[in-house]
Amino acid sequence: MPLSPANAAHALGDYLHSFPDDHPLHVALRTYALSLSLSLGPALVPFLISPKARAGGIKALTNVLRREFGISSFASSMTVGVGGGAALKFILDNWSKRFHRDASCSTKATSPLPSWWQRLKTWLASLDEFHRNFVSNLISAYMAIVLLQSRRRLSRNTPPRAAIPMTALTTSTPTSPSFTLDLTLLFVVRAIDSLVRSKLLPCETKLSSKATREEKDRVRNKRQQVTTRLDAFVFWASSARIMWCFFYEPDSLPRSYNKWIMSLANIDPRLLHALRAIRSDSFSYVKGFSIPPDLVSGFSRDLGYPSAWGDPALLPGYGGAEADRVWKTLGVTNRSGVGGLPCELVHSGFGSSCTANAGVRGIHAFAEALAIYIPVHILPILLTRPRTLLQKQQIVSSILSILRSASFLSTFVSSIWFAICMTRTLFLARLFPSIPHDFWDGPFGCTFIGSLVCGSSIWVEEGKRRGEMALYVLPRAIRACIPKSWLTSGRRSVRVVERLAFVLSLATLLTASSQSRESLRGLSRWTLSFVMKGPNTGFWKRKRQDASTTATLLDSSSPRESSPPPDTQQTKT
């Protein structure tokens, strides 16, 4: 008699639950589900918000579904990389036990197998658990990147779509970097962080069992101090490189990241064109020329100011008394002693006050940051412990965390603008009037100082979030440091280096999740703990414990049927 769909589902569920949570089958299923949610969700968003995407109809939707459910999709590739490593490790563990058991019971008879196979079997059997795990993950990670990059040939015949932050699987052309580059750099940064935490930073778990609680606390505090300072330095250096590239080399950053910075900082694109023209020597106050001639004069006219305020042939190239005479002729009253563009043009419509400009832009960034950080702080609580949102203490704590994170981003933006004004108007340019203003508005002047200053805003953020912020910006900073000419050259060395980095990084992360989980943190620790160990680790375990405790309390408080008195039982008997 055939099973009904409901009975078949129950039978399949019972079969899956017969395996432990860390069984390769469970690891593969969790990996596929999580990877599919990260790739399919963003791929379907354009069909909900973009009329252009919906114009494609069922055919366009079918192409997206075929791409995300295909054998070379992100979900399938990650399942091969993570679940395949777990399966190989499971096979090697069982084979190693059987090899040692057979070797202890076998005689010295000559084996019919080739000598190289015998040596390979002996070497595999001699590996300890750590190295068996690492070798298994190396093999599966290589299969994953080969499978993922095979998508390049298939994607050339499909239209490009918006980049997915986690996968970055966009259409690749011979003149664009590899579409797996962002994912590779993400793994590289997380793997380096794991190695640094496990090898260089002190860890209380390495202390002897006789260590006192005070010694463990001292080691833990020292580790926290070193980690916090290192995270702050990484964020500062990365943000400095990213912002400088945003001003002068935007092609070295992901396009979506450029748009996000542009929206947050609220910078007029024409002002960026002027800065890049000064760097390329197409615009000069000293030489008095601009290519094209109306590069800034048209911008000044659009803002409602005289076009002469944007003409380098009329603007003073140096500070001092000569600059004051020029400003008096042009009708500019707030730049005594300095040259260059008037503040009204640099502020792009936010008035002539440098302090007010920085403050207004900081408020604008604060408002946008609230829309970013409210889901970031609230969603994890809704998914893990929603009842705590009804507690006054939790509500206050969440609000303070959101305001602090938004203040960090607001400080980041306003500090850039204030540093720019301090350099070109308020202090440095006024202190050294003999230095040409081509330098102050050049790539190593005001924008350079602003790029260096903004990263210090990380100290406004909470200590536990500084690490995640540093790990978020570091991959983009590394990408900005790689020569674009090499990335887009199409050389075989580019693919070889990327595959090597992908394989070693993913294998390191997967091995660390099983052997030294304390070396992982943040997003990587949560993701790998859930994927490798199942819903009995991390906050999932706490959630289950809270649910069981609640059920126990409800069960103990529920009314039960009272047993009959002894005499009644005796009568019935």
Side-chain angles (χ1 to χ4, degrees):
M1 180 178 179
L3 293 176
S4 63
N7 293 334
H10 284 298
L12 179 60
D14 293 339
Y15 175 75
L16 293 177
H17 285 297
S18 64
F19 297 105
D21 286 339
D22 58 351
H23 191 273
L25 181 59
H26 282 293
V27 173
L29 291 175
R30 289 192 296 266
T31 303
Y32 189 83
L34 182 61
S35 303
L36 186 63
S37 65
L38 293 173
S39 61
L40 183 60
L44 295 178
V45 168
F47 289 93
L48 301 177
I49 63 176
S50 174
K52 185 178 179 180
R54 290 195 298 268
I58 300 298
K59 184 178 180 180
L61 181 60
T62 304
N63 290 334
V64 171
L65 296 177
R66 185 184 297 113
R67 182 176 62 235
E68 299 305 333
F69 285 96
I71 189 62
S72 61
S73 65
F74 174 73
S76 300
S77 302
M78 289 297 99
T79 303
V80 170
V82 180
L88 289 175
K89 171 66 165 46
F90 181 79
I91 294 173
L92 281 181
D93 287 343
N94 292 331
W95 179 82
S96 179
K97 294 177 182 178
R98 188 173 59 202
F99 178 85
H100 287 296
R101 184 175 63 252
D102 295 343
S104 61
C105 300
S106 63
T107 60
K108 295 183 178 181
T110 303
S111 174
L113 298 175
S115 58
W116 64 268
W117 177 249
Q118 287 291 339
R119 289 195 297 270
L120 178 61
K121 290 177 61 178
T122 304
W123 176 74
L124 290 175
S126 64
L127 295 176
D128 56 14
E129 183 180 3
F130 176 85
H131 290 94
R132 285 198 303 271
N133 199 348
F134 188 72
V135 169
S136 302
N137 292 325
L138 275 178
I139 297 173
S140 62
Y142 178 76
M143 296 171 60
I145 187 60
V146 170
L147 188 62
L148 192 59
Q149 288 185 340
S150 67
R151 185 172 181 170
R152 178 184 316 191
R153 295 186 297 270
L154 299 176
S155 63
R156 288 178 181 175
N157 298 325
T158 59
R161 62 179 176 86
I164 300 173
M166 184 68 182
T167 64
L169 297 177
T170 55
T171 301
S172 178
T173 64
T175 59
S176 64
S178 169
F179 59 85
T180 57
L181 179 60
D182 291 338
L183 182 63
T184 301
L185 293 178
L186 174 67
F187 288 157
V188 168
V189 167
R190 296 283 174 170
I192 292 176
D193 179 68
S194 174
L195 292 176
V196 170
R197 289 173 60 84
S198 62
K199 301 299 182 183
L200 300 183
L201 298 181
C203 182
E204 62 271 14
T205 58
K206 296 181 180 179
L207 296 176
S208 63
S209 57
K210 298 181 180 180
T212 62
R213 184 175 181 179
E214 289 75 12
E215 292 175 343
K216 293 182 178 179
D217 291 340
R218 185 170 60 252
V219 171
R220 187 183 300 110
N221 293 334
K222 182 179 179 181
R223 177 188 177 95
Q224 184 64 33
Q225 292 176 1
V226 174
T227 303
T228 300
R229 293 172 183 173
L230 185 60
D231 291 338
F233 174 78
V234 169
F235 180 86
W236 170 80
S238 301
S239 59
R241 175 60 181 171
I242 289 172
M243 291 307 302
W244 194 88
C245 289
F246 167 76
F247 286 119
Y248 298 107
E249 298 177 0
D251 291 340
S252 61
L253 298 173
R255 185 178 302 177
S256 58
Y257 200 55
N258 267 314
K259 291 182 178 180
W260 180 75
I261 297 177
M262 180 78 74
S263 172
L264 189 66
N266 198 14
I267 301 178
D268 194 295
R270 292 169 292 186
L271 183 60
L272 293 177
H273 292 328
L275 293 174
R276 294 161 191 168
I278 294 175
R279 185 195 181 203
S280 63
D281 205 22
S282 300
F283 184 97
S284 174
Y285 304 111
V286 177
K287 299 177 182 178
F289 71 91
S290 171
I291 303 175
D294 61 342
L295 177 63
V296 185
S297 58
F299 173 50
S300 175
R301 189 168 52 252
D302 293 341
L303 291 176
Y305 302 107
S307 59
W309 287 15
D311 189 351
L314 302 177
L315 296 175
Y318 296 89
E322 180 63 27
D324 293 342
R325 286 192 290 270
V326 174
W327 293 133
K328 185 176 180 180
T329 303
L330 295 177
V332 178
T333 60
N334 58 349
R335 288 194 67 79
S336 60
V338 292
L341 288 174
C343 290
E344 289 85 349
L345 303 187
V346 176
H347 299 166
S348 303
F350 283 87
S352 59
S353 173
C354 297
T355 304
N357 172 67
V360 171
R361 292 181 184 275
I363 294 174
H364 175 268
F366 184 87
E368 289 202 5
L370 287 178
I372 297 173
Y373 284 113
I374 287 177
V376 169
H377 286 272
I378 298 299
L379 282 180
I381 301 177
L382 289 176
L383 294 175
T384 58
R385 46 190 191 280
R387 292 185 179 181
T388 58
L389 288 177
L390 301 178
Q391 302 174 2
K392 182 179 179 180
Q393 183 179 0
Q394 180 63 52
I395 295 176
V396 173
S397 177
S398 299
I399 293 176
L400 291 178
S401 297
I402 293 171
L403 294 178
R404 187 169 183 174
S405 297
S407 300
F408 147 71
L409 207 53
S410 174
T411 305
F412 186 94
V413 173
S414 59
S415 63
I416 294 178
W417 284 103
F418 193 72
I420 288 175
C421 292
M422 286 291 293
T423 303
R424 69 180 309 273
T425 301
L426 300 177
F427 182 66
L428 290 181
R430 195 177 300 276
L431 186 63
F432 302 100
S434 61
I435 297 179
H437 216 82
D438 288 349
F439 173 80
W440 298 122
D441 284 351
F444 299 105
C446 60
T447 52
F448 182 73
I449 299 298
S451 300
L452 291 178
V453 168
C454 63
S456 59
S457 61
I458 190 62
W459 293 104
V460 178
E461 184 59 278
E462 295 182 56
K464 63 181 180 181
R465 290 189 55 81
R466 292 172 193 159
E468 282 300 309
M469 295 302 300
L471 295 178
Y472 175 77
V473 299
L474 184 55
R476 292 158 177 81
I478 294 176
R479 173 172 175 169
C481 293
I482 302 176
K484 186 181 178 182
S485 58
W486 180 70
L487 288 177
T488 58
S489 63
R491 298 176 183 175
R492 186 178 180 182
S493 60
V494 179
R495 179 179 296 187
V496 171
V497 171
E498 184 187 354
R499 285 188 176 183
L500 184 63
F502 183 96
V503 169
L504 292 176
S505 302
L506 183 56
T508 300
L509 289 172
L510 295 177
T511 305
S513 66
S514 301
Q515 304 296 326
S516 57
R517 194 170 57 182
E518 69 277 357
S519 65
L520 301 174
R521 59 172 170 169
L523 182 63
S524 55
R525 182 169 186 171
W526 175 87
T527 304
L528 290 176
S529 296
F530 172 73
V531 167
M532 302 301 294
K533 301 296 183 181
N536 288 322
T537 56
F539 70 83
W540 297 99
K541 184 176 182 179
R542 294 196 300 270
K543 180 181 178 182
R544 176 173 292 187
Q545 290 176 347
D546 294 342
S548 63
T549 303
T550 304
T552 303
L553 294 175
L554 291 175
D555 184 66
S556 61
S557 61
S558 61
R560 299 184 180 181
E561 294 183 1
S562 58
S563 57
D567 55 345
T568 306
Q569 295 181 359
Q570 185 71 23
T571 305
K572 290 183 179 180
T573 305

